[in-house]
Amino acid sequence: MDYLVLAAILLGVLLLAGVGLVVPRLRRQPPLPPAPPTPPGGLQPQEPPPLEEGDRSVGITVEERPPAPPTEPEQAPAEPVAPAPPVLERPEPTAGRLVRLRTRLSRSQGLLGKGLLNLLSRDRLDEEVWEEIEESLISADVGIDATREIVDRLRERTRVLGTRSATELRTLLTEELVAALDPQLDRALNTAGEPSVVLVVGVNGAGKTTTCGKIARVLVADGRTVLLGAADTFRAAAADQLTTWASRVGAEVVRGPEGADPASVAFDAVKRGIDTKVDAVLIDTAGRLQNKVGLMDELGKVKRVVGKHGPVHETLLVLDATTGQNGLEQARVFTEAVEVTGVVLTKLDGTAKGGIVIAVQRKLGIPVKLVGLGEGPDDLAPFDPAQFVDALMGVESRGTDA
C-alpha cells in the first residue's frame, strides 16, 4: 500500500516537470520580419502587371490609360492696349436750324396759326369772332396785355384796309405776331470776352444742364472753343452729365467734389479758361427750388466771385415752355438775384402754348435767344421772330438765323 502512494506521488512530480519544460519553448517563437516603410502620402496603389494575350479571361475588360495631354507653353502676359480716343462729333451748323425744326411747332401751329386764320377767314368778323380770337391768344399763353394789343391792331387794320382774302389776313396776322416779338432786340450770344463767360441758371427739371451742353455745341458749331464749369455741386449726376456732353465735342470740364462750394468751382473754371485761352466758358449752376432764398444768394455769390476774373458777359435763364405762365414767376425771381440777359425756352415742341415767347419778352423785357425743339443734341436753335412766326403760319421762311 505504501508503494502505491509513493508511485502516485512520483508520477505527479514527473508530469509537473514535463509541463514546465514544454510551456517556455512554446513562448519563444521567432519575431515576424518588420513591415517595409510606408512612403509619404499614404499607401500608393500598385499597378497590376500587364496581362499577356493568353491570360485575358473572357468577360474582363482592361481599360487602357489615356495619354496625357500635351503641355501648352506658357504665354507671356499681353501688354495693355491703350483705349482708342473718343470720336468727336461735328455739330450741325446753327444757320437754318429753326427752319429745319419748324415741324416741331405743329402743336402751337394748330392753335396760334391755323386756328386764328380760320377765325379771321369767316364771312363776318363780328364781336363774337373777335372774342374767340382773343380767347385763342390767351389760351396760347400770349398774355392778356399782349393779346389785347394784337387784337386791337388787327381789328383796326382789317376795318381800314377792308381785308377779306385768306392771303391778306395771313399777312396781317403774321406782321402783328412778329411785331409782338420785337424783332429789333439783340438775340446774339455775347462772346466778345477773352474768354466770354456765360452763366446758365434755372430750376431743376427745366433741362438746364442738358441745355448747357447743347449751348456748347452751338458755340462749337460756330467755330468757337469752349470750356464747361460744373458748378451744380448739389446734384451728383449734373457733373457727369456735363462731362458726357463735353466729351462729344472735345471740350474740357472743370468740376469739384460733390457738395463743394459752387462759387469756387466757377472761379476755377474761369481761371482755367483764361489759362487755356478758350473763346467761351459755360458755367452750369445749381437749380434747386427758385423760392429758396439760399439759392438766390448763392447765384449772386457765384457771379461776384467769377467777376474777380472779369465781367460775366451773358446770363442765360432756362425756362420750360410747358410751364406756361408759371415760367414768368420763375423768371422774375431769378432776375432779382442775377442780371439775366437772355432766355432759353426748352421743350417748345411739347406744348401748344407757343405764345409764351411773346409773354416772356413783354413781361421781362428780356429777349428769347435760343429755343429747344426736341431731345436731339442739335435741336437747340437760335431764335428768329420771323422764322418762328412763319413756322406757326405754315408759310415759307423769309429770314435767316442770327
Side-chain angles (χ1 to χ4, degrees):
M1 191 68 179
D2 292 335
Y3 291 109
L4 293 173
V5 172
L6 289 173
I9 293 172
L10 182 58
L11 182 59
V13 171
L14 292 173
L15 289 174
L16 290 174
V19 171
L21 292 173
V22 173
V23 170
R25 290 178 177 273
L26 294 176
R27 292 179 178 177
R28 293 177 186 173
Q29 294 182 358
L32 296 174
T38 304
L43 293 176
Q44 300 296 328
Q46 297 287 333
E47 286 192 11
L51 297 178
E52 298 294 336
E53 186 66 27
D55 294 338
R56 298 178 186 268
S57 301
V58 178
I60 298 178
T61 303
V62 179
E63 295 184 358
E64 303 259 346
R65 174 178 294 183
T71 304
E72 296 183 0
E74 294 185 2
Q75 298 181 354
E79 296 183 1
V81 179
V87 179
L88 300 182
E89 299 177 6
R90 179 176 296 179
E92 296 182 8
T94 57
R97 280 193 187 184
L98 193 57
V99 175
R100 177 178 62 85
L101 300 170
R102 59 186 297 154
T103 56
R104 308 285 179 85
L105 293 169
S106 58
R107 294 187 180 184
S108 293
Q109 187 183 76
L111 181 60
L112 269 177
K114 296 178 181 179
L116 290 177
L117 284 175
N118 289 336
L119 291 173
L120 289 169
S121 299
R122 290 186 180 179
D123 294 336
R124 292 184 56 190
L125 292 177
D126 54 17
E127 193 65 30
E128 182 178 348
V129 174
W130 288 113
E131 288 180 0
E132 289 186 42
I133 293 174
E134 188 171 320
E135 290 174 1
S136 296
L137 289 170
I138 293 175
S139 298
D141 272 340
V142 172
I144 295 177
D145 294 339
T147 294
R148 288 176 178 170
E149 182 177 328
I150 292 172
V151 170
D152 289 345
R153 288 179 58 84
L154 277 174
R155 292 183 71 167
E156 180 66 17
R157 294 184 69 181
T158 54
R159 183 183 65 82
V160 172
L161 299 176
T163 304
R164 301 304 303 157
S165 69
T167 302
E168 292 174 332
L169 289 171
R170 179 186 284 110
T171 300
L172 286 180
L173 181 58
T174 299
E175 291 174 353
E176 292 303 325
L177 291 177
V178 171
L181 289 169
D182 196 353
Q184 303 305 318
L185 290 175
D186 182 11
R187 302 176 192 277
L189 294 178
N190 185 353
T191 55
E194 295 181 357
S196 175
V197 179
V198 181
L199 287 183
V200 182
V201 302
V203 299
N204 285 341
K208 175 178 53 61
T209 300
T210 297
T211 299
C212 192
K214 290 184 178 182
I215 294 173
R217 294 180 68 91
V218 168
L219 294 174
V220 170
D222 289 339
R224 296 181 176 89
T225 54
V226 180
L227 181 142
L228 292 92
D232 186 357
T233 59
F234 298 100
R235 192 166 59 94
D240 295 336
Q241 187 178 357
L242 204 63
T243 300
T244 300
W245 280 102
S247 64
R248 295 179 179 179
V249 292
E252 183 181 354
V253 176
V254 174
R255 56 188 295 178
E258 185 177 355
D261 181 19
S264 174
V265 175
F267 181 88
D268 292 342
V270 177
K271 184 178 185 302
R272 178 63 178 169
I274 295 173
D275 294 341
T276 55
K277 301 184 184 303
V278 295
D279 297 323
V281 176
L282 294 175
I283 300 175
D284 180 33
T285 60
R288 293 172 297 175
L289 293 177
Q290 78 277 7
N291 56 4
K292 290 187 177 180
V293 176
L295 174 59
M296 298 299 110
D297 292 343
E298 190 174 90
L299 291 176
K301 176 184 175 183
V302 169
K303 188 170 183 179
R304 289 193 305 272
V305 171
V306 169
K308 294 179 180 180
H309 287 301
V312 174
H313 301 85
E314 193 86 69
T315 302
L316 298 177
L317 172 62
V318 180
L319 292 178
D320 183 348
T322 62
T323 60
Q325 293 294 320
N326 291 334
L328 295 178
E329 179 61 20
Q330 293 178 9
R332 185 189 63 79
V333 175
F334 275 97
T335 54
E336 294 175 355
V338 290
E339 184 182 352
V340 176
T341 58
V343 174
V344 182
L345 274 177
T346 63
K347 309 177 187 179
L348 197 58
D349 58 314
T351 179
K353 299 183 177 183
I356 190 64
V357 181
I358 298 173
V360 166
Q361 290 193 165
R362 294 181 65 90
K363 192 77 173 179
L364 304 174
I366 299 172
V368 173
K369 295 193 172 186
L370 297 161
V371 289
L373 295 168
E375 297 181 357
D378 294 323
D379 288 349
L380 186 71
F383 183 72
D384 181 275
Q387 291 183 358
F388 177 72
V389 174
D390 285 345
L392 294 180
M393 295 294 104
V395 299
E396 292 299 324
S397 178
R398 301 163 293 164
T400 58
D401 281 331

